[in-house]
Each structure stands twice: as C-alpha cells, then as structure tokens.
Amino acid sequence: MLSYLIRRLILVLPVAFGVSVICFLLVQIAPGDPLTAIMPVDATAEEQAAMRAAYGLDKPLPVQYAIWIGNLAQGNMGKSIATGRPVAGEVFGAVQNSLLLAVSAAIIAFPIGTFLGFLAGYSRDSWIDRAVTALSITGVSVPNYWLGIVLVIIFSVNLGWLPSMGAGPGGSQSWAWDWLHLRHLILPAVTLAVVPIGIVARTVRALAGDILTMDFVQALYAKGMSRADVLRHVARNAAATALSVMGLQLGYLLGGSILIETVFNWPGSGFLLSNAIFQRDLPLLQGTILVLAMFFVAMNLIVDVAQAAIDPRIQRT
C-alpha cells in the first residue's frame, strides 16, 4: 500500500505542473487587456507602460510564468487588479464557502443516490427500477440553474420559508454555524445535489445489477446467507467504482457550481470566478482556476488511494 501511495504521489507532480501551465496560458491568451478595467481612458502611453510594469505584464510569458510560480511557492498569488486586495485571501475565502456548499450537496446526494441505485438494482426490470431510472434521467437532464430559480419562486417568493440570496441574513457574505445561516444553505445545496443524485443512482444501479448476476452471489445464497449479508458483499464489490464516481462528482460540485452560486448570490469560488472573468482580473482568475484545479487533482489522488484500500487488486495495476 505504501509503495502504491508513493507511486501515485510521484505521478501527481507532472500533473500539477501541467495544470499550472494550462491555467497560466489559458488566461494569458484570452482576448483583451486586463488593465483596461483600472486604467483611465485618457491614460498616456507612459502611464500604461508603468502600470504594465507594476503588474509584470511587460515581460515575456516564460518570465511571467517563472515569477508567478516563484510567488506561488511563497504563498503569494499577487494582488487583484480590480480591488487591489491579495488574491490568496479572496480565493481561499471563496473556496471555503464553495467547499461548504459542495460538501453539503454531497451529503444530500450520495446517500440518496446510493440508496436509489441499490433499490433499482435489486428490483431490476420492475416498476421501482423504471421509476428510479426516470427520476435519475430527469435529475441529470434538468438545468440546475433553472431548478434553482423555480425553488426560489416556490420556497422564497410564494411560501416565504427560506431565504434566496447570500450566505447569511441581509445578503451577508460571511458564514457562521447557526440556524440563520444554515437556512441560506438549504436551497443552493438541494439544487446542486439533484444532478449527482441522478448520476450516482444510475451508476450504483448498473453496478448492483451486474454484480447480482455473478456466480459468487448465487453461491452466497446457496450457502444460506441472508439478503442483508449478500447486500454487504455486493456493496463492497461496488464500492471502488462508486467511490470513483462520487469523488469526481465532488470535484464537479466544487468547480462547476458557478451558475448555482450566481443564482443564489452565494459568495463562493464560482461567483468569484464569474466576477473575475467579467472584470478581466488576471491574477484573481489565475489563482481561482489554479486552486480549483489543484483541488480536483487532490480529490483524484484521495479517491485512488481509497479505492486501493477497499480493493487491493487495484494496487497491482
């Protein structure tokens, strides 16, 4: 297990380097000048040159990348062009809020999706299977931003049960562990959980259905094992693949919630990323994309190690 972990850690290094290069270049090749948002329209050529030099944009791209990586190694992501505040503080504050939203959605989605998947897998070709399949397809197909708007209309506008915007009372952008703030988390978390519920349910259904047709399951029944004992064996055999899907979904929940955060005005990384794109805030854009990408890389590493711990056969591949 230790040698497998070391191999996976070694493979992460070139992936992380490639991710950093892609993040840097994708932002650099985007059209437009990032300094147009803060420079006056009548700025002279000397003022423009001084501003570009202050942000290091007058240097060749390889030099800019080397400086950027060197600053990152020291924990310095630069300063936001739009606000002048350190990028690290803004990014990590937003990522914490996005992580809170993603984990809350995962807590809702993964148990429900797993239960529905096993229920459908054990009831193959029955009305239960067809109902779960229809619900799963509907959950995957419905645009989550549209669902968020519908939930706001029903539970916020018409019924007045739940707030619709912000992370706290009065549209607050800060978070605290109390009921007033938790109420703001319910609608975006439920909206974000709908798609992974469908994906996890369909995955677990397919896994459970295939495993139940295997010879060893029939052998377990022939030995007189109860349905609950057989279910534990089926769950263990399905766990590695299901865990892989759940890990990827958690990464998507964190990085792909930009529309949900915009609908609910949730102060997360997606909301920050959309603002950085519209403001052409180069340092903030690079920092946000890099942190989200590295989280995805770390999530894949954790899932790989967890899979190997559950199924030792993976360590030999």
Side-chain angles (χ1 to χ4, degrees), residues 140-156:
V140 173
S141 303
V142 171
N144 52 12
Y145 64 88
W146 175 84
L147 178 62
I149 294 172
V150 171
L151 292 179
V152 166
I153 293 173
I154 295 173
F155 293 100
S156 296

Side-chain angles (χ1 to χ4, degrees), residues 219-249:
L220 293 177
Y221 279 122
K223 287 182 177 180
M225 280 193 176
S226 66
R227 196 177 183 90
D229 291 332
V230 173
L231 176 61
R232 284 197 293 270
H233 285 275
V234 173
R236 183 165 185 177
N237 279 270
T241 304
L243 183 64
S244 174
V245 173
M246 291 178 186
L248 290 175
Q249 286 304 305

Side-chain angles (χ1 to χ4, degrees), residues 19-101:
V19 166
S20 69
V21 172
I22 292 172
C23 289
F24 179 81
L25 290 180
L26 282 178
V27 175
Q28 292 289 340
I29 64 178
D33 190 344
L35 297 180
T36 54
I38 59 173
M39 283 193 302
V41 180
D42 57 349
T44 64
E46 292 77 10
E47 291 173 338
Q48 294 180 13
M51 185 67 71
R52 297 184 68 82
Y55 283 94
L57 299 177
D58 59 333
K59 298 178 176 61
L61 283 182
V63 177
Q64 290 186 42
Y65 175 77
I67 294 173
W68 183 60
I69 287 294
N71 290 334
L72 284 177
Q74 302 173 28
N76 178 18
M77 293 184 173
K79 290 186 177 181
S80 169
I81 293 177
T83 65
R85 293 193 294 265
V87 169
E90 295 201 28
V91 169
F92 286 111
V95 168
Q96 288 177 2
N97 290 329
S98 286
L99 191 57
L100 173 66
L101 179 59

Side-chain angles (χ1 to χ4, degrees), residues 154-300:
I154 295 173
F155 293 100
S156 296
V157 178
N158 293 339
L159 298 177
W161 290 353
L162 296 169
S164 61
M165 299 181 68
S172 171
Q173 303 294 299
S174 60
W175 176 259
W177 289 101
D178 55 42
W179 175 240
L180 290 177
H181 288 78
L182 286 172
R183 293 176 70 244
H184 287 75
L185 181 62
I186 295 175
L187 284 183
V190 169
T191 304
L192 196 60
V194 170
V195 171
I197 285 176
I199 293 175
V200 172
R202 294 179 66 184
T203 301
V204 174
R205 173 198 174 275
L207 290 171
D210 291 341
I211 294 172
L212 286 170
T213 61
M214 293 182 178
D215 293 338
F216 84 91
V217 174
Q218 306 306 318
L220 293 177
Y221 279 122
K223 287 182 177 180
M225 280 193 176
S226 66
R227 196 177 183 90
D229 291 332
V230 173
L231 176 61
R232 284 197 293 270
H233 285 275
V234 173
R236 183 165 185 177
N237 279 270
T241 304
L243 183 64
S244 174
V245 173
M246 291 178 186
L248 290 175
Q249 286 304 305
L250 183 58
Y252 289 134
L253 287 175
L254 180 66
S257 60
I258 180 170
L259 292 177
I260 299 300
E261 292 181 1
T262 302
V263 168
F264 292 98
N265 198 29
W266 184 264
S269 57
F271 190 68
L272 183 69
L273 190 61
S274 65
N275 289 337
I277 292 172
F278 286 118
Q279 295 172 349
R280 194 69 172 85
D281 194 335
L282 203 64
L284 188 59
L285 199 56
Q286 288 174 330
T288 306
I289 294 174
L290 180 67
V291 170
L292 292 177
M294 288 304 176
F295 177 85
F296 206 92
V297 172
M299 197 68 239
N300 282 334

